Amino acid sequence: MTFPRMAGFNRYDLLALVLTLALLALLLRASAEVAGPFAPAAISLDPAQLPEYALRTAFRMGLALLLSLAFTLAYAPLAAKTRLEPFLVSLLDILQSVPILGFLAATAGAFAGLFPGRALGYELAAVFAVFTSQAWNMAFSFYQSLKTLPKELVEVAVAFRLTPWQRFLRLELPYALPGLVWNAMMSMSGGWFFVVAAEAIAVGKTQVALPGIGSYMAAAIAQGDGRALLYATLSMLLVILLYDQLLFRPLVAWSERFKYEERPGQEVPRSPVLDLLRRTRFLKGATERLFSHLLEALLRRERRPQRPLRLPLWPFLLPLFLLGGAGLASLLAQVAALGLGEVLRVFLLGLWTLLRVLGVLALAALVWVPVGILLGLRPRLAQRTQAFLQFLAAFPANLLYPFFALLLLRHHLSLEVFAAFLMVLGTQWYILFNAIAGSLALPEELKEAARSLGLRGWALWRRLLLPGTFPYLVTGLVTASGGTWNASIVAEVVQWGSTTLEATGLGSYIARWTLEEGSGPHLLLGLAVMSLYVVAMNRLLWRRLYRLAEGRFRL
C-alpha cells in the first residue's frame, strides 16, 4: 500500500489550527476545574458568570454524548445479532422509560462516595444523568439500522466473505451513520431538556448545584428572576448554535456520502467547517496517512488465520439471573405488605396513563410525521431549520408547566384531559427528527422513479414516503413512547403557587410518593407497574412493528 505524500501548510491549515487550539484551550479549562477539590458555592445570577457556566455545561454535554456513542456502538450490535435480543431490547425499552430522577437518586451518592471531597464525583453524576437522556435513543437508532440493512448489501457482504469485524466497519456502521447523526442531535436536545435536574442535584439530603446553565436556570426560577431566566435561555441557544455549526452540521454533510443510493441527490448539505477541513493541505494529508496506517493494521490482523471465538452464555446469564431473582424477591416482600387492593389500584392507574401515552403518540405522529417527511424532501430547508428545531426540542418544556397550570385554573380546565398535551411537549421531537432522517435517507432514484410514474398526493405517500421511512418512524415512536412515560411523572402533577393540580394516573402516583411521602414500597410498586406496561407494549406492539419494518419495508 502506498501512503499519500505529506503536503505543506496552506492558509486553511492555519485557520484549522487556530480553531483546534481554541477548542483545546476551552476543553482544558473546563476539565481542570472538574478535577479540582469540591468547593460548594451559591450560583450567582450575575450575567458575567454565564460564559463560564456555559463552558462547563457544554463540556458535560459533550462528554455525555461521547459516552452515549460508545454505549451505542457496543449495545446495539449485541441486541441485533445475538440470542439475547429479546432481553436486551426489552431492557433498553425499560431503561429509556425510567425517570432521570430515578437514575440520579441511585447514582449521585455512589459517584460522590467514589471521590470524597472532589468535584469529580458530582460531575460524573451530572454527566451520567445527561447520558441516560441520550444513550437509549441513539442505541435504538443503530439497532434499527442493523435490522433493516438492504438485502442486496447483505448478499454482497456474504459473497465477499466479510468477517464480522469487516462487515461492521465497511457496511453496517457507514449505512447507519446518517440516521445515527440525526438521532445524536435529538439526543443532545434530550440532554438539554434534563440539564436543570442534572446540574441542580436535589436527592434526599443531597443538595448540590454545579456551575452551569441548568443550575443557573434553577436558581433563576427559585428566585423568580425572569430576566436571569431570559439570559440563561439565550446562553443555551448560543451553545446549541455553536454545537450545530462546529459538530452536527459537519457531521450531517459528511454522513451524506454514506447515504444508500446509486448517485447523490440534487441538494447536498454543506458545512463551512467541513469545507474548511477539506481545503486544508497538511491536516488532510496527515489525517489520510493516519487512517491508512489504521486500515493497514486492521487488514494485517484480518489476514491472520483466526479461530472462531465461541463464548458460553452461562457466565453472563448466571449473575443476571441471580441478581434478578434477589431483586424480585425483595420487590415481592415489600409489595406484599401493601395488599392486593393497592396493587390492583396501581394497575388501573397505569391503564389511565397508558391511554394518555397512546393518545399522545397518535396525536404527535399525526402532526409531525408529515412535517418531518416534507422537511426531509427539502434538504436545504431542513438544514436551515436544523438549529431552530434543536433549540425547540432542547428547551426544557417542564419550565412551562406552571404557566399551563395558571391557564387551566383561570379557564377551569381539567388536567385529566390536558395532561396529555403537557406530556407531548417534551417527546414529540423524537418523532419529528426520525421522520426527517428517514425522509433524507430515501434514495434519490426512488424519488425520481415515483416522479416519472406520476405518483402524486396520497398515492405518493402510500407507495413511497410512508413505507420508505417506516423503520425510522418506528424508532421515533419507540423512543417517544419511553419519553412520554417518563414525562407523565411531571405532567400529571403541576403546581402554581400553593395550588396543585393532579390528574389520575400512574405518573401522579409515582410523583406523589416520591416528592411528598417518600415511601419506598409504594414508589417501588409504581415503578414496577410502569416497567410491566412498558414491557407489554414492547412485546405486543413495538417488536411486531420492528419485524414488519425488517421484513416488509426494508429497502
Side-chain angles (χ1 to χ4, degrees), residues 13 55 78 114 144 233 238 364 422 434 522 536:
D13 282 303
L55 175 63
L78 282 176
L114 285 176
Q144 169 253 310
T233 305
L238 181 62
L422 300 183
N434 275 281
H522 286 87

Side-chain angles (χ1 to χ4, degrees), residues 23 38 45 54 76 154 163 187 240 267 322 332 341 421 433 452-453 481 500 524 538 545:
L23 291 176
F38 180 60
L45 294 185
V154 175
T163 63
S187 298
I240 291 173
E267 297 180 273
L322 291 177
L332 292 177
F421 293 94
F433 275 66
S452 65
L453 291 173
S481 168
T500 300
L524 203 57
N538 178 280
L545 289 179

